[in-house]
Amino acid sequence: MGSRLPPKSYDETTLQALERALKDVLQVLKAHEPFRDWDKDADFRRGLAEKLMDLADAGVTDPQEFRIRVLASCDLKPSH
């Protein structure tokens, strides 16, 4: 079921920050759980995208701030 709200639009700076943060977060998660197939976990990726967009909607535009806030909400296993 799709959202009933109209899609939000983001400026180029925010879009680039979202893209950078997504890559950075996935890199950290892969380091902590290297045997999990993060790229094929559609539910996780959808949830991650929603978290990032919620932060953008709240005014976050810095990739580092996106990364810090998203990773703070993750249950990270010790890296190997």
Side-chain angles (χ1 to χ4, degrees):
M1 177 186 290
S3 173
R4 295 180 189 192
L5 300 174
K8 302 246 183 194
S9 63
Y10 302 105
D11 63 23
E12 189 63 30
T13 301
T14 303
L15 289 173
Q16 289 175 355
L18 285 165
E19 184 177 342
R20 179 77 248 154
L22 177 64
K23 289 178 183 177
D24 289 349
V25 167
L26 284 172
Q27 183 178 16
V28 170
L29 293 174
K30 287 175 182 180
H32 282 269
E33 287 189 61
F35 300 109
R36 181 172 173 181
D37 194 349
W38 294 101
D39 295 321
K40 292 186 180 179
D41 189 338
D43 290 334
F44 170 77
R45 291 181 70 88
R46 190 176 308 105
L48 176 57
E50 288 174 5
K51 282 182 187 179
L52 288 167
M53 288 186 291
D54 287 346
L55 290 169
D57 292 346
V60 175
T61 58
D62 178 58
Q64 198 65 2
E65 185 68 20
F66 281 121
R67 180 179 179 266
I68 290 166
R69 290 190 185 197
V70 169
L71 290 173
S73 69
C74 294
D75 181 28
L76 297 177
K77 300 195 182 331
S79 60
H80 298 31

